[in-house]
Amino acid sequence: MIGNLKPLEILLIIAVIVLLFGAKKLPEMARSLGKSARILKSEAKAMKKDGEADDAATAAPAADQAQQPVAPRTIQAAPGDVTSSRPVSEPNRTTQG
């Protein structure tokens, strides 16, 4: 459907968007949309990495895990953006034996 749009129709859509939101608001909205996309991408990578780490952790012996110190991890939202970084909370893992 989008491929069937003619240049005049695209200009009309852009004009309606500018009229609805205003020219001053559009750059701010684009920045926030880009920031949200970066946060989503970094969260997805962190979840994938965390899942791979969990798979590797289940294959490793429990004794090796107990000896390794656990450092607190943070997920960084975007490069250089420290205001939205937050610590990752993990449940305490205890070995039963």
Side-chain angles (χ1 to χ4, degrees):
M1 180 178 160
I2 293 177
N4 297 335
L5 292 178
K6 297 176 184 165
L8 184 60
E9 294 169 342
I10 293 173
L11 287 175
L12 182 64
I13 292 170
I14 290 173
V16 169
I17 291 173
V18 169
L19 287 174
L20 286 175
F21 297 108
K24 292 182 180 180
K25 209 62 158 155
L26 288 176
E28 181 182 327
M29 289 172 46
R31 265 187 243 110
S32 66
L33 182 64
K35 187 176 180 180
S36 299
R38 283 191 304 269
I39 290 171
L40 179 65
K41 184 178 178 182
S42 67
E43 291 285 336
K45 281 184 180 179
M47 287 176 63
K48 183 176 179 182
K49 184 178 177 183
D50 195 31
E52 290 173 357
D54 286 345
D55 291 343
T58 56
D64 290 341
Q65 289 179 345
Q67 292 176 354
Q68 296 175 352
V70 178
R73 299 181 305 152
T74 59
I75 295 176
Q76 187 176 7
D81 183 18
V82 295
T83 58
S84 60
S85 297
R86 58 179 173 76
V88 177
S89 60
E90 293 185 12
N92 292 335
R93 295 183 181 176
T94 58
T95 58
Q96 297 174 353

